[in-house]
């Protein structure tokens, strides 16, 4: 198994190129016409659910070195270590300042965030990443399909929501990983698993968090909902013909993962607030549930079956 590692020493030695990049950016901003320079600013996305998704949430520790730093309706997970931190997901563009404030209110520094990762490249999970990368100087890594979207800030054909997906600030530098390769920041090891279907690049993340000798296997499982624009059919399309087989592959992956704690990009999809008190972050007994990933996959399969039946003009099974 190949691994990708970010070590503190390597990050420190990157300070010069980062400084040069910002200097270049400043020069370009001066030289470019105003609309392009202004497009660097994070503009809030207005959508029907955006305000509800972006409701503030006090950050809290889930277990060991793993913290919720997302909003009340959108996941963002911080995995800390003395040699740098990993952040998974950046919410909406307007979530970025809330995520940053959550990280800092826990006593961590943005510049110690060394690696930013993503579940899938829709505006509500990747929209804040450009700003969070600027605030931290972190490396951003994504699956090849998601990386192409994040580099442009525009979804790509193949996305079932292509024609309705909001654009967002493009991420300046996005490296790609290979699924199942371990990514490391100091002692932290996270593994990306392919769970495509909701988008072709959907990624589920796993890692182990320990509190003393009590270690738990975390799964940050990507969205599995068969949501699409009206012009996309899961049963018949030319842009993502393998979508149903991809979903099935993802369900099988989710069902086989070692899964003590399931967390999802939309916390309601895994009933997070039934398991953790949103007011004080108190962890309930239900946080650990070894069957949660299997149930999540099974319910996603039922939703896809219902969607397929509807497209074929049959009653929901
Ligand atoms: Zn999505």
């Amino acid at each position: 198994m190949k691994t990708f590692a970010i070590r503190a020493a390597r990050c420190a030695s990157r300070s010069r190129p980062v400084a040069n990049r910002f200097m270049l950016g400043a020069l370009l901003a001066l030289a470019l016409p105003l609309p392009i320079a202004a497009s660097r600013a994070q503009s809030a996305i207005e959508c029907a659910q955006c305000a509800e998704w972006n409701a503030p949430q006090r950050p809290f520790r889930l277990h060991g070195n793993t913290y919720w730093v997302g909003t009340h309706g959108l996941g963002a997970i911080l995995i800390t270590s003395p040699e740098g931190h990993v952040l998974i997901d950046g919410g909406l563009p307007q979530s970025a300042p809330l995520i940053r404030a959550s990280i800092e209110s826990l006593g961590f520094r943005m510049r110690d965030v060394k690696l930013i990762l993503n579940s899938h490249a829709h505006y509500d999970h990747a929209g804040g990443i450009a700003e969070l990368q600027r605030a931290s100087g972190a490396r951003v890594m994504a699956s090849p399909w998601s990386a192409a979207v994040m580099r442009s800030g525009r979804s790509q054909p193949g996305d079932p929501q292509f024609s309705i997906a909001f654009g967002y600030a493009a991420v300046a530098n996005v490296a790609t990983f290979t699924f199942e390769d371990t990514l490391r920041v100091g002692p932290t090891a996270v593994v990306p698993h392919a769970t495509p279907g909701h988008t072709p690049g959907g990624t589920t993340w796993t890692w182990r968090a320990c509190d003393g000798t009590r270690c738990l296997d975390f799964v940050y499982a990507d969205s599995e909902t068969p949501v699409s624009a009206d012009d996309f059919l899961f049963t018949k399309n030319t842009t993502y013909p393998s979508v149903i087989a991809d979903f099935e592959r993802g369900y099988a992956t989710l069902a086989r993962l070692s899964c003590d704690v399931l967390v999802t990009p939309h916390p309601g999809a895994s009933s997070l607030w039934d398991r953790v008190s949103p007011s004080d972050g108190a962890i309930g007994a239900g946080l650990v549930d070894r069957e949660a990933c299997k149930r999540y996959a099974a319910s996603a399969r039922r939703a896809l079956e219902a969607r397929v039946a509807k497209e074929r003009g049959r009653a929901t099974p």
Side-chain angles (χ1 to χ4, degrees):
M1 181 181 287
K2 283 189 296 179
T3 65
F4 166 85
I6 290 181
R7 283 190 289 275
R10 263 181 58 190
C11 291
S13 71
R14 279 217 302 266
S15 60
R16 187 180 299 275
V18 168
N20 285 343
R21 202 163 64 229
F22 281 125
M23 281 161 56
L24 184 63
L27 287 171
L28 282 172
L30 286 173
L32 290 170
L34 188 60
I36 297 175
S39 75
R40 286 173 57 86
Q42 290 273 292
S43 45
I45 290 173
E46 291 179 30
C47 70
Q49 290 175 283
C50 282
E52 182 189 335
W53 285 341
N54 208 44
Q57 173 59 49
R58 204 165 123 182
F60 56 89
R61 184 201 299 262
L62 280 157
H63 185 75
N65 65 344
T66 296
Y67 298 83
W68 180 274
V69 293
T71 62
H72 188 68
L74 295 171
I77 302 292
L78 186 72
I79 310 168
T80 65
S81 90
E83 294 173 54
H85 315 316
V86 176
L87 175 66
I88 309 178
D89 274 350
L92 292 157
Q94 58 265 43
S95 308
L98 281 72
I99 292 169
R100 178 180 184 162
S102 289
I103 291 170
E104 291 173 340
S105 77
L106 289 166
F108 301 110
R109 298 180 301 193
M110 281 306 289
R111 69 171 181 269
D112 292 331
V113 176
K114 300 299 182 189
L115 180 61
I116 298 176
L117 305 169
N118 173 241
S119 55
H120 68 273
H122 281 154
Y123 63 97
D124 47 342
H125 311 291
I129 289 179
E131 180 60 31
L132 291 162
Q133 183 185 50
R134 273 197 288 276
S136 62
R139 184 179 177 95
V140 173
M141 295 187 81
S143 67
W145 190 90
S146 297
V149 173
M150 290 161 69
R151 287 178 189 128
S152 66
R154 296 286 176 273
S155 200
Q156 308 277 320
D159 180 354
Q161 298 181 55
F162 174 59
S163 64
I164 54 169
F166 289 92
Y168 53 87
V171 183
N173 290 292
V174 186
T176 56
F177 55 71
T178 302
F179 285 114
E180 304 297 331
D181 281 359
T182 301
L183 313 186
R184 296 181 191 277
V185 174
T188 299
V190 293
V191 182
H193 308 274
T195 47
H198 181 81
T199 67
T203 305
T204 287
W205 293 96
T206 59
W207 67 98
R208 175 165 285 188
C210 297
D211 190 355
T213 55
R214 185 172 182 243
C215 295
L216 296 175
D217 288 332
F218 272 77
V219 177
Y220 186 68
D222 191 20
S223 301
E224 295 293 322
T225 45
V227 179
S228 77
D230 290 345
D231 59 5
F232 182 95
L233 294 176
F234 287 87
T235 51
K236 189 172 188 286
N237 70 79
T238 54
T239 57
Y240 190 8
S242 65
V243 61
I244 290 176
D246 276 12
F247 263 127
E248 286 292 343
R249 194 158 54 93
Y251 304 154
T253 297
L254 287 167
R256 73 166 165 77
L257 292 175
S258 177
C259 176
D260 292 319
V261 179
L262 169 66
V263 193
T264 46
H266 290 280
S270 50
S271 307
L272 183 67
W273 305 127
D274 295 341
R275 300 183 288 149
V276 177
S277 164
S279 57
D280 62 2
I283 302 296
L287 184 70
V288 177
D289 180 351
R290 294 278 304 168
E291 298 302 310
C293 286
K294 289 188 184 72
R295 280 204 312 278
Y296 184 68
S299 109
R301 180 180 280 115
R302 285 195 297 275
L304 180 64
E305 284 168 357
R307 170 66 193 248
V308 166
K310 191 175 170 197
E311 287 183 15
R312 290 181 174 148
R314 294 204 302 260
T316 301

